[in-house]
Amino acid sequence: MMTSRLPTVLITGATSGFGRAAARRFGEMGYALILTGRRQERLAELADELSQHCAVYTYSLDVRDSEAVVDMVQQLPQEFRNIEILINNAGLALGAGVAHQSSLDDWHTMINTNITGLVNVTHSLLPILLEQPKSTIINLASIASNWCYPGAHVYGASKAFVAQFSRNLRSDYAGTPLRITSLEPGLSESEFSLVRFGGDQDKYNQIYNGTNPLQPEDIADIMLWIAEQPSHININSIEVMPTSQAWDNFKVVKS
């Protein structure tokens, strides 16, 4: 295993989408990586791929389980304990139908992952981050944090929590070396959308046909840029869309 002189990055949800792209981007730059996710086989594959570039530690983790999060932090090897960058990426959307036809279980899963999971990890890592001379939290929110659209009910509300939580954390730690960013992507092509539609490839294809969506690598590049800003700069939030997407006119329903 290689050692790294660059900061240590902890990435949740590193087994797909933005998280996996971030692991590759930071890893290729030589950052030490702590990669978490629920699919151990994918974590192992990433570790094999990236260990030639950097030090990698993986931990199978469900962020919704607060005790498991605490255990993970307590079990970190000494060489990975000085975490300077936290990327709260674990999250999901389930369903896109009208609210009263949606699954209550899906609603609870989104709340427990997008809100509770993010809070669990952040609370456990704050003491470590605050010990560092420069530290960064990047919280993956969404354009749904700021803009409403049909079918976004609980998903959008959960991401609005992420954006507001980021701002409130920044208020708590003004004047400290801890920076907090809400990163808010728009239309992005990844496994995220396939999960949202329950694995329905046709629905997935309909979303992206004729568009040029953001790719996970685009978001990973932005994460790296945020993390590498000089220590006196805090990027409060970034809302990013592909050029094939923009704000829609307010909807008017005629009777």
Side-chain angles (χ1 to χ4, degrees):
M1 179 179 291
M2 298 176 60
T3 58
S4 173
R5 296 180 181 178
L6 288 174
T8 297
V9 187
L10 189 152
I11 304 172
T12 67
T15 55
S16 65
F18 299 154
R20 182 164 58 188
R24 287 172 171 155
R25 191 72 181 95
F26 280 86
E28 288 164 359
M29 296 296 293
Y31 285 78
L33 301 176
I34 302 169
L35 306 179
T36 76
R38 290 187 293 165
R39 290 173 283 191
Q40 179 58 47
E41 69 283 357
R42 289 198 180 185
L43 290 174
E45 289 171 3
L46 261 181
D48 288 343
E49 173 188 339
L50 297 175
S51 59
Q52 61 183 310
H53 302 294
C54 64
V56 184
Y57 176 77
T58 64
Y59 195 95
S60 181
L61 178 69
D62 185 339
V63 296
R64 298 172 296 180
D65 185 337
S66 59
E67 293 184 0
V69 172
V70 171
D71 288 344
M72 182 269 295
V73 174
Q74 291 177 342
Q75 294 176 33
L76 287 173
Q78 190 61 40
E79 62 268 29
F80 288 93
R81 293 199 63 81
N82 291 325
I83 299 165
E84 296 169 75
I85 301 168
L86 167 61
I87 299 177
N88 274 317
N89 168 73
L92 77 169
L94 294 172
V98 67
H100 74 278
Q101 296 175 348
S102 300
S103 162
L104 182 59
D105 286 342
D106 285 351
W107 281 10
H108 286 163
T109 299
M110 286 186 280
I111 292 168
N112 291 336
T113 306
N114 300 351
I115 297 177
T116 305
L118 182 141
V119 166
N120 288 341
V121 175
T122 303
H123 189 267
S124 291
L125 268 294
L126 277 171
I128 294 175
L129 291 163
L130 288 167
E131 291 176 350
Q132 311 309 319
K134 174 186 175 183
S135 55
T136 307
I137 298 175
I138 301 173
N139 290 328
L140 262 294
S142 166
I143 60 167
S145 306
N146 309 314
W147 309 100
C148 304
Y149 60 87
H153 29 76
V154 168
Y155 172 72
S158 71
K159 290 301 185 178
F161 174 91
V162 173
Q164 187 67 5
F165 181 59
S166 301
R167 289 189 284 264
N168 287 335
L169 276 181
R170 184 68 199 120
S171 296
D172 276 2
Y173 298 111
T176 77
L178 175 58
R179 297 99 55 81
I180 299 102
T181 298
S182 173
L183 177 53
E184 300 156 8
L187 183 67
S188 307
E189 186 175 18
S190 74
E191 190 176 322
F192 172 93
S193 296
L194 198 59
V195 171
R196 183 171 202 169
F197 297 119
D200 189 321
Q201 190 68 47
D202 288 338
K203 287 185 178 179
Y204 177 93
N205 293 340
Q206 289 171 21
I207 292 292
Y208 298 111
N209 284 344
T211 71
N212 187 15
L214 301 172
Q215 298 299 316
E217 293 75 19
D218 300 326
I219 302 304
D221 285 342
I222 293 171
M223 291 180 192
L224 182 66
W225 176 81
I226 292 169
E228 293 194 335
Q229 289 303 298
S231 59
H232 68 288
I233 295 177
N234 188 88
I235 306 300
N236 298 329
S237 63
I238 295 182
E239 182 180 274
V240 54
M241 299 180 189
T243 54
S244 53
Q245 183 181 39
W247 305 276
D248 200 0
N249 295 325
F250 285 113
K251 184 178 181 180
V252 176
V253 178
K254 296 182 179 180
S255 59

PDB file of all heavy atoms in Angstrom, residues 183-208:
ATOM      1  N   LEU A 183     -23.130  21.142  -2.976  1.00  0.00           N
ATOM      2  CA  LEU A 183     -22.940  20.942  -4.420  1.00  0.00           C
ATOM      3  C   LEU A 183     -24.246  20.427  -5.002  1.00  0.00           C
ATOM      4  O   LEU A 183     -24.746  19.387  -4.568  1.00  0.00           O
ATOM      5  CB  LEU A 183     -21.795  19.969  -4.657  1.00  0.00           C
ATOM      6  CG  LEU A 183     -21.478  19.572  -6.100  1.00  0.00           C
ATOM      7  CD1 LEU A 183     -21.283  20.786  -6.989  1.00  0.00           C
ATOM      8  CD2 LEU A 183     -20.244  18.677  -6.139  1.00  0.00           C
ATOM      9  N   GLU A 184     -24.789  21.136  -5.987  1.00  0.00           N
ATOM     10  CA  GLU A 184     -26.169  20.940  -6.422  1.00  0.00           C
ATOM     11  C   GLU A 184     -26.244  20.649  -7.921  1.00  0.00           C
ATOM     12  O   GLU A 184     -26.500  21.540  -8.726  1.00  0.00           O
ATOM     13  CB  GLU A 184     -26.983  22.183  -6.037  1.00  0.00           C
ATOM     14  CG  GLU A 184     -26.963  22.427  -4.535  1.00  0.00           C
ATOM     15  CD  GLU A 184     -27.232  23.863  -4.117  1.00  0.00           C
ATOM     16  OE1 GLU A 184     -27.589  24.686  -4.995  1.00  0.00           O
ATOM     17  OE2 GLU A 184     -27.096  24.171  -2.913  1.00  0.00           O
ATOM     18  N   PRO A 185     -26.044  19.398  -8.323  1.00  0.00           N
ATOM     19  CA  PRO A 185     -26.068  19.057  -9.748  1.00  0.00           C
ATOM     20  C   PRO A 185     -27.491  18.986 -10.313  1.00  0.00           C
ATOM     21  O   PRO A 185     -28.447  18.655  -9.616  1.00  0.00           O
ATOM     22  CB  PRO A 185     -25.407  17.673  -9.792  1.00  0.00           C
ATOM     23  CG  PRO A 185     -24.782  17.470  -8.447  1.00  0.00           C
ATOM     24  CD  PRO A 185     -25.601  18.267  -7.504  1.00  0.00           C
ATOM     25  N   GLY A 186     -27.563  19.255 -11.608  1.00  0.00           N
ATOM     26  CA  GLY A 186     -28.800  19.058 -12.342  1.00  0.00           C
ATOM     27  C   GLY A 186     -28.790  17.710 -13.046  1.00  0.00           C
ATOM     28  O   GLY A 186     -28.294  16.718 -12.503  1.00  0.00           O
ATOM     29  N   LEU A 187     -29.333  17.680 -14.258  1.00  0.00           N
ATOM     30  CA  LEU A 187     -29.485  16.433 -15.005  1.00  0.00           C
ATOM     31  C   LEU A 187     -28.141  15.730 -15.168  1.00  0.00           C
ATOM     32  O   LEU A 187     -27.233  16.243 -15.819  1.00  0.00           O
ATOM     33  CB  LEU A 187     -30.099  16.711 -16.373  1.00  0.00           C
ATOM     34  CG  LEU A 187     -30.379  15.477 -17.247  1.00  0.00           C
ATOM     35  CD1 LEU A 187     -31.472  14.607 -16.630  1.00  0.00           C
ATOM     36  CD2 LEU A 187     -30.774  15.907 -18.661  1.00  0.00           C
ATOM     37  N   SER A 188     -28.023  14.561 -14.579  1.00  0.00           N
ATOM     38  CA  SER A 188     -26.770  13.806 -14.580  1.00  0.00           C
ATOM     39  C   SER A 188     -27.059  12.365 -14.963  1.00  0.00           C
ATOM     40  O   SER A 188     -28.055  11.786 -14.523  1.00  0.00           O
ATOM     41  CB  SER A 188     -26.121  13.841 -13.194  1.00  0.00           C
ATOM     42  OG  SER A 188     -25.969  15.175 -12.735  1.00  0.00           O
ATOM     43  N   GLU A 189     -26.180  11.793 -15.748  1.00  0.00           N
ATOM     44  CA  GLU A 189     -26.374  10.420 -16.216  1.00  0.00           C
ATOM     45  C   GLU A 189     -25.558   9.468 -15.356  1.00  0.00           C
ATOM     46  O   GLU A 189     -24.328   9.489 -15.385  1.00  0.00           O
ATOM     47  CB  GLU A 189     -25.946  10.293 -17.674  1.00  0.00           C
ATOM     48  CG  GLU A 189     -26.258   8.922 -18.260  1.00  0.00           C
ATOM     49  CD  GLU A 189     -25.942   8.839 -19.737  1.00  0.00           C
ATOM     50  OE1 GLU A 189     -25.182   9.702 -20.236  1.00  0.00           O
ATOM     51  OE2 GLU A 189     -26.454   7.922 -20.390  1.00  0.00           O
ATOM     52  N   SER A 190     -26.241   8.661 -14.567  1.00  0.00           N
ATOM     53  CA  SER A 190     -25.552   7.684 -13.726  1.00  0.00           C
ATOM     54  C   SER A 190     -26.544   6.626 -13.272  1.00  0.00           C
ATOM     55  O   SER A 190     -27.746   6.700 -13.564  1.00  0.00           O
ATOM     56  CB  SER A 190     -24.920   8.362 -12.499  1.00  0.00           C
ATOM     57  OG  SER A 190     -25.910   8.705 -11.554  1.00  0.00           O
ATOM     58  N   GLU A 191     -26.045   5.670 -12.532  1.00  0.00           N
ATOM     59  CA  GLU A 191     -26.876   4.600 -11.981  1.00  0.00           C
ATOM     60  C   GLU A 191     -27.966   5.142 -11.058  1.00  0.00           C
ATOM     61  O   GLU A 191     -28.985   4.496 -10.832  1.00  0.00           O
ATOM     62  CB  GLU A 191     -25.969   3.634 -11.210  1.00  0.00           C
ATOM     63  CG  GLU A 191     -26.624   2.349 -10.768  1.00  0.00           C
ATOM     64  CD  GLU A 191     -25.631   1.424 -10.091  1.00  0.00           C
ATOM     65  OE1 GLU A 191     -24.469   1.360 -10.550  1.00  0.00           O
ATOM     66  OE2 GLU A 191     -26.018   0.763  -9.113  1.00  0.00           O
ATOM     67  N   PHE A 192     -27.758   6.353 -10.531  1.00  0.00           N
ATOM     68  CA  PHE A 192     -28.743   7.025  -9.680  1.00  0.00           C
ATOM     69  C   PHE A 192     -30.134   7.000 -10.314  1.00  0.00           C
ATOM     70  O   PHE A 192     -31.133   6.681  -9.670  1.00  0.00           O
ATOM     71  CB  PHE A 192     -28.280   8.468  -9.447  1.00  0.00           C
ATOM     72  CG  PHE A 192     -29.258   9.357  -8.746  1.00  0.00           C
ATOM     73  CD1 PHE A 192     -29.216   9.507  -7.366  1.00  0.00           C
ATOM     74  CD2 PHE A 192     -30.209  10.073  -9.459  1.00  0.00           C
ATOM     75  CE1 PHE A 192     -30.104  10.346  -6.711  1.00  0.00           C
ATOM     76  CE2 PHE A 192     -31.108  10.905  -8.822  1.00  0.00           C
ATOM     77  CZ  PHE A 192     -31.057  11.040  -7.441  1.00  0.00           C
ATOM     78  N   SER A 193     -30.206   7.355 -11.599  1.00  0.00           N
ATOM     79  CA  SER A 193     -31.500   7.431 -12.273  1.00  0.00           C
ATOM     80  C   SER A 193     -32.101   6.059 -12.500  1.00  0.00           C
ATOM     81  O   SER A 193     -33.322   5.887 -12.456  1.00  0.00           O
ATOM     82  CB  SER A 193     -31.358   8.174 -13.602  1.00  0.00           C
ATOM     83  OG  SER A 193     -30.968   9.509 -13.388  1.00  0.00           O
ATOM     84  N   LEU A 194     -31.261   5.067 -12.751  1.00  0.00           N
ATOM     85  CA  LEU A 194     -31.766   3.706 -12.929  1.00  0.00           C
ATOM     86  C   LEU A 194     -32.382   3.193 -11.631  1.00  0.00           C
ATOM     87  O   LEU A 194     -33.421   2.538 -11.643  1.00  0.00           O
ATOM     88  CB  LEU A 194     -30.636   2.789 -13.391  1.00  0.00           C
ATOM     89  CG  LEU A 194     -31.045   1.466 -14.030  1.00  0.00           C
ATOM     90  CD1 LEU A 194     -31.906   1.690 -15.268  1.00  0.00           C
ATOM     91  CD2 LEU A 194     -29.810   0.651 -14.402  1.00  0.00           C
ATOM     92  N   VAL A 195     -31.754   3.512 -10.505  1.00  0.00           N
ATOM     93  CA  VAL A 195     -32.323   3.154  -9.196  1.00  0.00           C
ATOM     94  C   VAL A 195     -33.658   3.851  -8.995  1.00  0.00           C
ATOM     95  O   VAL A 195     -34.626   3.250  -8.521  1.00  0.00           O
ATOM     96  CB  VAL A 195     -31.334   3.520  -8.071  1.00  0.00           C
ATOM     97  CG1 VAL A 195     -31.997   3.363  -6.693  1.00  0.00           C
ATOM     98  CG2 VAL A 195     -30.087   2.649  -8.151  1.00  0.00           C
ATOM     99  N   ARG A 196     -33.726   5.114  -9.364  1.00  0.00           N
ATOM    100  CA  ARG A 196     -34.958   5.881  -9.173  1.00  0.00           C
ATOM    101  C   ARG A 196     -36.139   5.239  -9.882  1.00  0.00           C
ATOM    102  O   ARG A 196     -37.259   5.241  -9.371  1.00  0.00           O
ATOM    103  CB  ARG A 196     -34.768   7.315  -9.677  1.00  0.00           C
ATOM    104  CG  ARG A 196     -35.989   8.191  -9.453  1.00  0.00           C
ATOM    105  CD  ARG A 196     -35.732   9.647  -9.740  1.00  0.00           C
ATOM    106  NE  ARG A 196     -36.692  10.494  -9.057  1.00  0.00           N
ATOM    107  CZ  ARG A 196     -36.599  11.808  -8.954  1.00  0.00           C
ATOM    108  NH1 ARG A 196     -35.559  12.434  -9.479  1.00  0.00           N
ATOM    109  NH2 ARG A 196     -37.520  12.493  -8.313  1.00  0.00           N
ATOM    110  N   PHE A 197     -35.891   4.685 -11.051  1.00  0.00           N
ATOM    111  CA  PHE A 197     -36.965   4.079 -11.840  1.00  0.00           C
ATOM    112  C   PHE A 197     -37.027   2.572 -11.662  1.00  0.00           C
ATOM    113  O   PHE A 197     -37.567   1.856 -12.514  1.00  0.00           O
ATOM    114  CB  PHE A 197     -36.797   4.445 -13.314  1.00  0.00           C
ATOM    115  CG  PHE A 197     -36.917   5.912 -13.579  1.00  0.00           C
ATOM    116  CD1 PHE A 197     -35.865   6.627 -14.124  1.00  0.00           C
ATOM    117  CD2 PHE A 197     -38.080   6.593 -13.256  1.00  0.00           C
ATOM    118  CE1 PHE A 197     -35.967   7.992 -14.353  1.00  0.00           C
ATOM    119  CE2 PHE A 197     -38.194   7.960 -13.478  1.00  0.00           C
ATOM    120  CZ  PHE A 197     -37.138   8.655 -14.028  1.00  0.00           C
ATOM    121  N   GLY A 198     -36.507   2.089 -10.553  1.00  0.00           N
ATOM    122  CA  GLY A 198     -36.623   0.671 -10.224  1.00  0.00           C
ATOM    123  C   GLY A 198     -35.978  -0.248 -11.230  1.00  0.00           C
ATOM    124  O   GLY A 198     -36.429  -1.378 -11.436  1.00  0.00           O
ATOM    125  N   GLY A 199     -34.925   0.221 -11.895  1.00  0.00           N
ATOM    126  CA  GLY A 199     -34.215  -0.591 -12.881  1.00  0.00           C
ATOM    127  C   GLY A 199     -34.854  -0.599 -14.259  1.00  0.00           C
ATOM    128  O   GLY A 199     -34.424  -1.362 -15.136  1.00  0.00           O
ATOM    129  N   ASP A 200     -35.864   0.253 -14.485  1.00  0.00           N
ATOM    130  CA  ASP A 200     -36.556   0.308 -15.777  1.00  0.00           C
ATOM    131  C   ASP A 200     -35.680   1.048 -16.782  1.00  0.00           C
ATOM    132  O   ASP A 200     -35.591   2.281 -16.777  1.00  0.00           O
ATOM    133  CB  ASP A 200     -37.902   1.024 -15.610  1.00  0.00           C
ATOM    134  CG  ASP A 200     -38.777   0.932 -16.845  1.00  0.00           C
ATOM    135  OD1 ASP A 200     -38.237   1.027 -17.965  1.00  0.00           O
ATOM    136  OD2 ASP A 200     -40.013   0.787 -16.698  1.00  0.00           O
ATOM    137  N   GLN A 201     -35.044   0.300 -17.689  1.00  0.00           N
ATOM    138  CA  GLN A 201     -34.115   0.885 -18.636  1.00  0.00           C
ATOM    139  C   GLN A 201     -34.813   1.814 -19.624  1.00  0.00           C
ATOM    140  O   GLN A 201     -34.250   2.834 -20.043  1.00  0.00           O
ATOM    141  CB  GLN A 201     -33.385  -0.220 -19.405  1.00  0.00           C
ATOM    142  CG  GLN A 201     -32.227   0.277 -20.259  1.00  0.00           C
ATOM    143  CD  GLN A 201     -31.069   0.809 -19.443  1.00  0.00           C
ATOM    144  OE1 GLN A 201     -30.642   0.186 -18.486  1.00  0.00           O
ATOM    145  NE2 GLN A 201     -30.547   1.969 -19.826  1.00  0.00           N
ATOM    146  N   ASP A 202     -36.052   1.505 -19.990  1.00  0.00           N
ATOM    147  CA  ASP A 202     -36.775   2.355 -20.935  1.00  0.00           C
ATOM    148  C   ASP A 202     -37.025   3.744 -20.339  1.00  0.00           C
ATOM    149  O   ASP A 202     -36.843   4.761 -21.016  1.00  0.00           O
ATOM    150  CB  ASP A 202     -38.106   1.709 -21.324  1.00  0.00           C
ATOM    151  CG  ASP A 202     -37.924   0.506 -22.245  1.00  0.00           C
ATOM    152  OD1 ASP A 202     -36.862   0.426 -22.900  1.00  0.00           O
ATOM    153  OD2 ASP A 202     -38.838  -0.339 -22.295  1.00  0.00           O
ATOM    154  N   LYS A 203     -37.463   3.799 -19.081  1.00  0.00           N
ATOM    155  CA  LYS A 203     -37.683   5.094 -18.433  1.00  0.00           C
ATOM    156  C   LYS A 203     -36.373   5.863 -18.303  1.00  0.00           C
ATOM    157  O   LYS A 203     -36.327   7.086 -18.481  1.00  0.00           O
ATOM    158  CB  LYS A 203     -38.318   4.895 -17.051  1.00  0.00           C
ATOM    159  CG  LYS A 203     -39.782   4.484 -17.093  1.00  0.00           C
ATOM    160  CD  LYS A 203     -40.373   4.420 -15.692  1.00  0.00           C
ATOM    161  CE  LYS A 203     -41.848   4.053 -15.747  1.00  0.00           C
ATOM    162  NZ  LYS A 203     -42.453   3.963 -14.387  1.00  0.00           N
ATOM    163  N   TYR A 204     -35.324   5.135 -17.970  1.00  0.00           N
ATOM    164  CA  TYR A 204     -33.989   5.745 -17.879  1.00  0.00           C
ATOM    165  C   TYR A 204     -33.606   6.381 -19.214  1.00  0.00           C
ATOM    166  O   TYR A 204     -33.168   7.536 -19.275  1.00  0.00           O
ATOM    167  CB  TYR A 204     -32.990   4.667 -17.474  1.00  0.00           C
ATOM    168  CG  TYR A 204     -31.540   5.101 -17.402  1.00  0.00           C
ATOM    169  CD1 TYR A 204     -30.980   5.534 -16.210  1.00  0.00           C
ATOM    170  CD2 TYR A 204     -30.723   5.032 -18.543  1.00  0.00           C
ATOM    171  CE1 TYR A 204     -29.645   5.905 -16.140  1.00  0.00           C
ATOM    172  CE2 TYR A 204     -29.390   5.402 -18.476  1.00  0.00           C
ATOM    173  CZ  TYR A 204     -28.856   5.835 -17.272  1.00  0.00           C
ATOM    174  OH  TYR A 204     -27.537   6.197 -17.220  1.00  0.00           O
ATOM    175  N   ASN A 205     -33.803   5.629 -20.304  1.00  0.00           N
ATOM    176  CA  ASN A 205     -33.433   6.126 -21.623  1.00  0.00           C
ATOM    177  C   ASN A 205     -34.248   7.357 -22.011  1.00  0.00           C
ATOM    178  O   ASN A 205     -33.729   8.281 -22.650  1.00  0.00           O
ATOM    179  CB  ASN A 205     -33.622   5.027 -22.675  1.00  0.00           C
ATOM    180  CG  ASN A 205     -32.648   3.876 -22.485  1.00  0.00           C
ATOM    181  OD1 ASN A 205     -31.614   4.015 -21.844  1.00  0.00           O
ATOM    182  ND2 ASN A 205     -32.996   2.717 -23.034  1.00  0.00           N
ATOM    183  N   GLN A 206     -35.528   7.377 -21.635  1.00  0.00           N
ATOM    184  CA  GLN A 206     -36.388   8.504 -21.974  1.00  0.00           C
ATOM    185  C   GLN A 206     -35.900   9.811 -21.352  1.00  0.00           C
ATOM    186  O   GLN A 206     -36.047  10.885 -21.943  1.00  0.00           O
ATOM    187  CB  GLN A 206     -37.826   8.222 -21.521  1.00  0.00           C
ATOM    188  CG  GLN A 206     -38.540   7.160 -22.346  1.00  0.00           C
ATOM    189  CD  GLN A 206     -39.877   6.751 -21.740  1.00  0.00           C
ATOM    190  OE1 GLN A 206     -40.456   7.493 -20.948  1.00  0.00           O
ATOM    191  NE2 GLN A 206     -40.341   5.564 -22.087  1.00  0.00           N
ATOM    192  N   ILE A 207     -35.309   9.709 -20.177  1.00  0.00           N
ATOM    193  CA  ILE A 207     -34.809  10.904 -19.498  1.00  0.00           C
ATOM    194  C   ILE A 207     -33.659  11.536 -20.283  1.00  0.00           C
ATOM    195  O   ILE A 207     -33.551  12.763 -20.395  1.00  0.00           O
ATOM    196  CB  ILE A 207     -34.331  10.554 -18.071  1.00  0.00           C
ATOM    197  CG1 ILE A 207     -35.520  10.157 -17.185  1.00  0.00           C
ATOM    198  CG2 ILE A 207     -33.556  11.716 -17.441  1.00  0.00           C
ATOM    199  CD1 ILE A 207     -36.470  11.298 -16.887  1.00  0.00           C
ATOM    200  N   TYR A 208     -32.804  10.697 -20.858  1.00  0.00           N
ATOM    201  CA  TYR A 208     -31.556  11.197 -21.438  1.00  0.00           C
ATOM    202  C   TYR A 208     -31.569  11.321 -22.952  1.00  0.00           C
ATOM    203  O   TYR A 208     -30.672  11.963 -23.517  1.00  0.00           O
ATOM    204  CB  TYR A 208     -30.401  10.283 -21.015  1.00  0.00           C
ATOM    205  CG  TYR A 208     -30.216  10.263 -19.523  1.00  0.00           C
ATOM    206  CD1 TYR A 208     -30.508   9.118 -18.781  1.00  0.00           C
ATOM    207  CD2 TYR A 208     -29.780  11.388 -18.844  1.00  0.00           C
ATOM    208  CE1 TYR A 208     -30.350   9.106 -17.404  1.00  0.00           C
ATOM    209  CE2 TYR A 208     -29.631  11.390 -17.468  1.00  0.00           C
ATOM    210  CZ  TYR A 208     -29.915  10.244 -16.757  1.00  0.00           C
ATOM    211  OH  TYR A 208     -29.777  10.238 -15.398  1.00  0.00           O
TER     212      TYR A 208
END
